[in-house]
Amino acid sequence: MGSATAPCPDLASALAAFPEHVAFIRRLFLADRAFRSACEDYRLACEGLATFGRLACETPRPEVADYQRLVRELEAEMRSMIHAARGRA
């Protein structure tokens, strides 16, 4: 994991996706292995979407829609995890 000023890429992607929950996400990331895993999956999906998005400029890529769906699903999963953890806090 990164320092307090330079978070790891997985945490940084979660913070960018949910800026309204920054402090809580930092605590949840440290305490919950499942949330850390979801953050990693989300970062990888975002990277995949960006990669295929660039390639789609040259040739239409069906992967773009797949990655868009995956990113939305992971955001919903992470949002649910955040709200569930807030309810326990």
Side-chain angles (χ1 to χ4, degrees), residues 40-56 61-76:
E40 179 183 17
D41 292 346
Y42 179 73
R43 177 187 56 82
L44 292 170
C46 289
E47 289 175 0
L49 178 57
T51 297
F52 283 111
R54 283 190 301 274
L55 293 173
R61 302 294 301 229
E63 296 91 347
V64 170
D66 294 338
Y67 275 95
Q68 287 172 332
R69 186 188 84 259
L70 181 58
V71 165
R72 283 191 309 271
E73 289 172 358
L74 287 165
E75 284 175 346

Side-chain angles (χ1 to χ4, degrees), residues 5-61:
T5 57
C8 76
D10 299 341
L11 176 57
S13 68
L15 295 174
F18 303 100
E20 68 278 14
H21 300 292
V22 169
F24 191 77
I25 286 173
R26 287 181 187 277
R27 289 192 304 273
L28 187 58
F29 188 86
L30 292 173
D32 189 319
R33 182 179 307 217
F35 186 73
R36 282 193 304 275
S37 179
C39 290
E40 179 183 17
D41 292 346
Y42 179 73
R43 177 187 56 82
L44 292 170
C46 289
E47 289 175 0
L49 178 57
T51 297
F52 283 111
R54 283 190 301 274
L55 293 173
C57 291
E58 299 167 13
T59 305
R61 302 294 301 229

